[in-house]
Amino acid sequence: MSEDKTPKLDELEKGPWPSFVTEIKRAGKKKASANDLLKQLELSYTDGVTHWKHGGVVGVRGYGCGTIGRYSDSPDKFPNVAAFHTFRVNHPSGWFYTTKALRQICDIWEKYGSGLTNFHGSTGDIILLGAPTENLQPCFDALTGEAGFDLGGAASDLRTPSCCVGAARCEFACIDTTDLCNDLTQTFQDYIHRPHWGYKFKIKISGCPNDCIASIGRSDMPIIGTWRDALRIDQDAVREYVDSGLDIVSEVVSQCPTEALEWDAKGKKLNLKPEECVRCMYCLSRMPKAIRPGLDKGATIMIGGKAPLVRGPRLGWVLVPFMKMEPPYTELKDLLEKIWDWWDENGKTRERVSELIERLGIQEFLKAMDLPPLPEMVAEPRTNAFIF
Amino acid sequence: MATDIGPPDYRTMLPEIIKKNYGQWKYHEILKPGFLKHVAENGDAVYTIRAGSPRLLSVDKVRDICDVADKYCDGHLRFTSRHNVEFLLADESKLEALAKEINEKLGFPIGGTGTCLSNIVHTQGWIHCHTPATDASGIVKALMDELYDYFVSEKLPAKMRISLACCGNMCAAIHCSDISVVGVHTAPPTKIDDKNFSTWCEVPTTLASCPTGAIRRYPEAKSVRIDEEKCMYCGNCYTVCPALPIASKETDGIAIFVGGKVSSNRTSPKLSKLAIPFIPNNPPRWPEVVSAVKNIVEVYAKNARKGERMGDWIERITWPTFFKLTGIPFTMKHIDNFTGALTTYNRSAHIKF
């Protein structure tokens, strides 16, 4: 039948990169909803606009978040995606899985939904893409009951925290990111599953300032591992790099942003001025076998990262230059509760915490947090004379 | 019915070699693109093969991935924050056979490490979103087809992250990527649904949603009107009020931003800055977007120094030189007249002639 043809999307099955169209077609062999999704998408490719209606409130018992309502604007043409709701399923910290767990999710999703997934959505959740309204509750019951998975955040709540691979497989990890992420996720289940606030709050955790999880741009509270003492340098390993052709002066020493390194060519020794090091990770990343973080490890706690809507994009900035990060993470949790209380008390609808700080002033915020002003918090002090 | 059980404990998901050496890793090396070796204090090594995925997967494909992980990785695997699949194993001798199955059975490319291009983080687009100004998966597929060699081989001066969001909501928070591809609306929401406004929307919430004060009450129709001169097409009003649709085939399209990064490595993290204000949507393969991105990648690859991220390179050569080298025209739209005004202007006499 001609209306079943998808010539535009078929073009996206060509080329070397694996194709999402092929995936939708594969799901379509078993599921009529996946086929209708493909046809509706083809129509979007012709019309140049989405064919999903605005919102729609759906849910499962006891939860205010975690499912996202989605309805087709052309249910007559695409009856199998008339209601095509999303589950956000909270991933295990670090996105580690057993195949047994993944297969369980697949079986459940094949039974109740479209058989289409995202590994993963932008916030880190497993996205189960498209189920009819009546299947939401039984699907949720199976996910929690059989597979041991739970929903992640959506709407005006704590979004699913996420973290880099951390101590599980990275020598740069200055904090146990996977444990911290899991601990915060479990501690704040209520905030993840019910909309408590005027808008969303995101936490992302990176083990070092390389920030592989992009916390500084993508979270209201970026937590970034760091260390207070000096870098550890293995001089034998340094010499191995140099002997195998690394131009240590031009590629490492002269690239150090604060001139904290010196190369003693005669003694073949890399000298560090620890008081000059700003912990940027450059030399460690270039010479991972030779240079390691110090031993007095913890995290820099930041505040305020977010996407552009609506006052423009924001990067997080320093709130606490160094905090020890050991279970049960009481100091961090207390700070989070304090921030949420202040934001909940003062924030407007759809106002992220950084926008509230901008509106009420950083001084108000720091006073409410009982945090001292520190030069590490600013790139530079104020330039105007209106000192109030 | 159980509620609030939270996700499974990650410790139950870890491969044995990871459990054994958790927190004990000493160093790593990249054996070749997509192949990582991490060595622990005790000399144990874990090997990782990183494979690019389209993010949207059928459950049967996930099962295929599981089959491979069962065969080579004792039934364990992980994903990265950029939609890659990682296969981890302790036995180096199995690497090549595993790589072959990833390529041939799964059809996934191997790469994305070090100075390879990483996989593109992206949003839902027309597949499942109600506010997009463009599709997401389609452009990503077209881009990665064209930039495929950069994913599977180390041909770039430094790591490069391209990200895509299908509207300014930017749920993929891509505003600090080396190259950000963003869906934009370029016309105000003028097709106001007066009939449904009073049942679907609240006047105060709708007025308050506008960052430029462009929405006015319109009591005659129990609705609102838009001051088109003031509107910056952000779409925030549509998010709170479905009676203000903003999507349009004619005026929706793509903007491209460059030079952002999240890492504090060497230089501070940076937001991406506007390179190309508008390219019309042209599905299914968005050839104009693909060639614009490829041009930026190639000019950067040719001119930047080893280890220099896109934003660091542009800061060194200066923005006028970036526009000259890429041939991208500089327009009035590039000069911020919103919250970045003044602070983003050249407040020095540093000018190249």
Side-chain angles (χ1 to χ4, degrees), chain B residues 174-211:
Chain B
I174 63 161
H175 51 284
C176 27
S177 307
D178 295 282
I179 301 179
S180 315
V181 182
V182 189
V184 288
H185 307 291
T186 62
T190 46
K191 291 177 196 151
I192 300 168
D193 186 347
D194 287 335
K195 199 167 123 279
N196 288 309
F197 186 95
S198 58
T199 42
W200 289 354
C201 313
E202 293 175 341
V203 172
T205 317
T206 309
L207 261 54
S209 74
C210 181

Side-chain angles (χ1 to χ4, degrees), chain A residues 337-349:
Chain A
E337 293 275 13
K338 238 186 207 175
I339 291 170
W340 292 334
D341 273 352
W342 181 77
W343 175 49
D344 196 25
E345 193 66 30
N346 297 288
K348 295 195 235 178
T349 303

Side-chain angles (χ1 to χ4, degrees), chain A residues 8 11-12 14-20 23-24 26 30 37 41 44-50 52-55 61 63 70 84 86 90-99 101-103 106-107 109-110 115-122 127 129 137 140-141 144 148-150 165 167-171 176 178-179 182 185-186 189 193-194 209-214 216-218 251 255 257 280-282 285 288-289 292 306-311 313-315 350, chain B residues 1-15 18 22-23 25-29 36 38 41 46 48 52-64 66-67 69-70 75-81 83 86 88 107-109 119 122 124 126-130 132 135 137-138 141 144-145 148 151 161 168-173 175-176 211 232 234 236 238-240 242 247-249 262-266 269-271 283-286 306 338-339:
Chain A
K8 290 192 169 68
E11 287 299 311
L12 290 167
K14 298 171 184 169
W17 192 257
S19 169
F20 70 99
E23 293 303 314
I24 301 176
R26 190 167 177 192
K30 293 178 180 172
L37 174 68
L41 187 60
S44 281
Y45 270 55
T46 304
D47 294 350
V49 288
T50 188
W52 296 108
K53 283 207 290 197
H54 191 297
R61 278 193 298 278
Y63 284 59
R70 197 61 80 219
F84 198 67
T86 303
N90 202 327
H91 64 287
S93 272
W95 294 290
F96 282 96
Y97 295 94
T98 59
T99 53
L102 284 177
R103 287 180 201 279
C106 288
D107 292 349
W109 190 235
E110 191 164 82
L116 289 168
T117 68
N118 288 155
F119 280 91
H120 294 82
S122 303
I127 305 294
L129 206 61
Q137 189 65 44
F140 168 80
D141 292 343
T144 50
F149 278 81
D150 201 344
V165 70
R169 201 205 50 200
C170 184
E171 69 273 22
D176 191 345
T178 38
D179 183 64
N182 187 59
T185 304
Q186 291 293 352
Q189 281 291 293
H193 292 147
R194 279 132 221 128
N210 275 336
D211 197 6
C212 287
I213 204 74
I216 204 162
R218 303 181 70 177
E251 288 185 46
Q255 298 295 324
C280 82
M281 296 300 294
Y282 181 80
S285 304
K289 288 182 183 173
R292 311 172 71 182
K306 63 178 279 295
L309 216 68
V310 71
R311 300 277 305 163
R314 299 280 181 267
L315 292 168
R350 287 176 64 73
Chain B
M1 185 188 72
T3 60
D4 295 348
I5 60 170
D9 191 319
Y10 66 99
R11 281 166 285 223
T12 64
M13 302 287 172
L14 300 175
I18 295 289
Y22 192 95
W25 300 105
K26 193 176 175 197
Y27 70 87
H28 79 278
E29 52 190 317
L36 300 169
H38 287 82
E41 299 281 3
V46 63
T48 303
S53 118
R55 183 178 98 132
L56 192 156
L57 301 169
S58 62
V59 290
D60 280 330
K61 185 68 156 204
V62 177
R63 289 175 180 133
D64 290 348
C66 289
D67 286 343
D70 282 340
H76 294 270
L77 69 149
R78 77 174 288 265
F79 292 84
T80 73
S81 64
H83 316 318
E86 287 188 338
L88 293 81
F108 286 173
N119 200 347
H122 64 99
Q124 295 289 13
W126 294 333
I127 283 183
H128 213 235
C129 183
H130 64 296
D135 189 34
S137 308
K141 162 71 175 146
M144 288 309 283
D145 279 342
Y148 186 84
F151 182 85
R161 287 175 154 181
N169 257 324
M170 255 187 219
C171 64
H175 51 284
C176 27
M232 62 174 194
C234 70
N236 199 37
Y238 178 63
T239 302
V240 303
S248 137
K249 181 180 187 176
V262 291
S263 167
S264 288
N265 198 310
R266 209 164 72 85
K270 309 175 210 293
L271 297 167
R285 295 197 71 100
W286 282 264
K306 202 172 164 185
F338 190 49
T339 48

Side-chain angles (χ1 to χ4, degrees), chain A residues 1-18:
Chain A
M1 282 183 11
S2 63
E3 66 263 33
D4 283 351
K5 287 189 176 150
T6 54
K8 290 192 169 68
L9 291 170
D10 293 349
E11 287 299 311
L12 290 167
E13 289 198 276
K14 298 171 184 169
W17 192 257

Side-chain angles (χ1 to χ4, degrees), chain A residues 108-306:
Chain A
I108 291 167
W109 190 235
E110 191 164 82
K111 186 170 173 191
Y112 295 106
S114 69
L116 289 168
T117 68
N118 288 155
F119 280 91
H120 294 82
S122 303
T123 303
D125 298 289
I126 305 163
I127 305 294
L128 302 180
L129 206 61
T133 313
E134 65 275 15
N135 282 7
L136 292 178
Q137 189 65 44
C139 185
F140 168 80
D141 292 343
L143 282 168
T144 50
E146 294 164 28
F149 278 81
D150 201 344
L151 301 187
S156 296
D157 66 356
L158 176 61
R159 297 298 179 89
T160 300
S162 65
C163 66
C164 69
V165 70
R169 201 205 50 200
C170 184
E171 69 273 22
F172 294 154
C174 296
I175 52 176
D176 191 345
T177 60
T178 38
D179 183 64
L180 175 58
C181 182
N182 187 59
D183 190 311
L184 295 179
T185 304
Q186 291 293 352
T187 304
F188 298 122
Q189 281 291 293
D190 187 31
Y191 291 129
I192 294 174
H193 292 147
R194 279 132 221 128
H196 284 260
W197 305 312
Y199 208 13
K200 62 184 135 186
F201 193 96
K202 296 187 174 187
I203 301 171
K204 290 189 191 294
I205 306 157
S206 273
C208 83
N210 275 336
D211 197 6
C212 287
I213 204 74
S215 67
I216 204 162
R218 303 181 70 177
S219 57
D220 298 276
M221 181 180 273
I223 299 169
I224 298 179
T226 189
W227 65 97
R228 278 191 295 200
D229 52 346
L231 288 169
R232 289 175 289 160
I233 302 178
D234 176 346
Q235 299 293 348
D236 289 337
V238 169
R239 283 188 282 275
E240 269 177 47
Y241 274 106
V242 173
D243 292 343
S244 58
L246 177 77
D247 184 343
I248 195 163
V249 175
S250 77
E251 288 185 46
V252 182
V253 173
S254 68
Q255 298 295 324
C256 173
T258 53
E259 298 176 20
L261 292 170
E262 273 174 359
W263 176 240
D264 172 3
K266 221 185 209 170
K268 284 187 105 178
K269 200 167 170 242
L270 185 65
N271 295 319
L272 170 75
K273 290 175 269 181
E275 67 282 7
E276 302 295 338
C277 173
V278 289
R279 289 141 188 91
C280 82
M281 296 300 294
Y282 181 80
C283 61
L284 293 87
S285 304
R286 286 310 300 271
M287 308 170 75
K289 288 182 183 173
I291 310 180
R292 311 172 71 182
L295 293 166
D296 182 12
K297 294 169 180 173
T300 299
I301 311 297
M302 306 177 105
I303 188 84
K306 63 178 279 295

